[in-house]
Amino acid sequence: VAVRLRQPGSSIKPINYVAAFQKGWNPATVLVDVKTVFPIRGQPDYIPENYDRREHGLVNVRTALASSFNIPAVKTLQFVTVPGMIDAARKLGITTFKDPRNYGLSLSLGGGDIQLLELTSAYAVFANNGRRVPPTPFLKITDPTGKPLLDLRTNAPKSTPVIDARHA
């Protein structure tokens, strides 16, 4: 289950917002949470709704994310662009998003399949102040005599800075 492709739903929103932070936004950036029509060439218009089916007017990014509002998330992806969000996701360890042309604005609401393992690894970047540590399913490997071949408790894997600690 951890490596099966699944839609992440709103749990993908922090990655969308961190991409916006990398382009100059901050938690106090104000968005307008009102019904918005996003035209899509050759398809019906995209009109996202919030889970509570209400509009909340002016909201800052902090409130939009904490409240999991959909309309501000879609507006954020429109600012960031689909390729921009996919690039941010890759830096955090999500590799299952492939060709940006396969996704639309619903990507910000979980409209793209990812692996749970990659998502949890991406969330770990936030907990590690912007540093990525490759996920591993084990802490120690020994040979048949008990001699350690690898012990991550004494020889921790190297972390790599992938986002600014302030954004994390």
Side-chain angles (χ1 to χ4, degrees):
V1 172
V3 294
R4 281 253 167 105
L5 292 176
R6 300 275 192 250
Q7 289 190 344
S10 290
S11 67
I12 202 71
K13 288 176 182 172
I15 294 164
N16 185 30
Y17 285 111
V18 83
F21 292 166
Q22 292 171 333
K23 291 183 78 171
W25 285 16
N26 63 62
T29 298
V30 175
L31 297 163
V32 182
D33 182 18
V34 298
K35 181 179 178 178
T36 305
V37 176
F38 298 91
I40 302 171
R41 187 179 314 151
Q43 297 181 27
D45 291 341
Y46 180 48
I47 309 170
E49 291 185 342
N50 291 317
Y51 65 90
D52 61 0
R53 306 224 189 274
R54 295 177 49 214
E55 300 168 10
H56 303 92
L58 297 175
V59 295
N60 60 35
V61 167
R62 180 182 293 107
T63 299
L65 177 58
S67 303
S68 194
F69 293 151
N70 292 336
I71 298 168
V74 173
K75 288 182 176 184
T76 299
L77 183 56
Q78 187 178 44
F79 168 72
V80 168
T81 74
V82 169
M85 181 175 163
I86 289 174
D87 182 56
R90 282 190 184 124
K91 288 177 184 171
L92 296 172
I94 296 174
T95 63
T96 49
F97 293 141
K98 300 297 181 199
D99 187 348
R101 295 173 295 182
N102 293 336
Y103 307 98
L105 294 176
S106 67
L107 183 64
S108 63
L109 307 180
D113 293 339
I114 62 173
Q115 296 177 355
L116 177 61
L117 181 62
E118 289 186 344
L119 182 62
T120 55
S121 178
Y123 266 70
V125 172
F126 297 127
N128 289 326
N129 293 314
R131 300 184 71 84
R132 184 170 188 283
V133 179
T136 179
F138 51 83
L139 294 175
K140 186 176 183 179
I141 299 174
T142 62
D143 69 11
T145 67
K147 178 184 170 193
L149 299 173
L150 177 68
D151 188 345
L152 296 180
R153 291 174 288 198
T154 59
N155 187 20
K158 301 288 185 224
S159 65
T160 306
V162 293
I163 61 172
D164 189 305
R166 294 170 299 165
H167 299 157

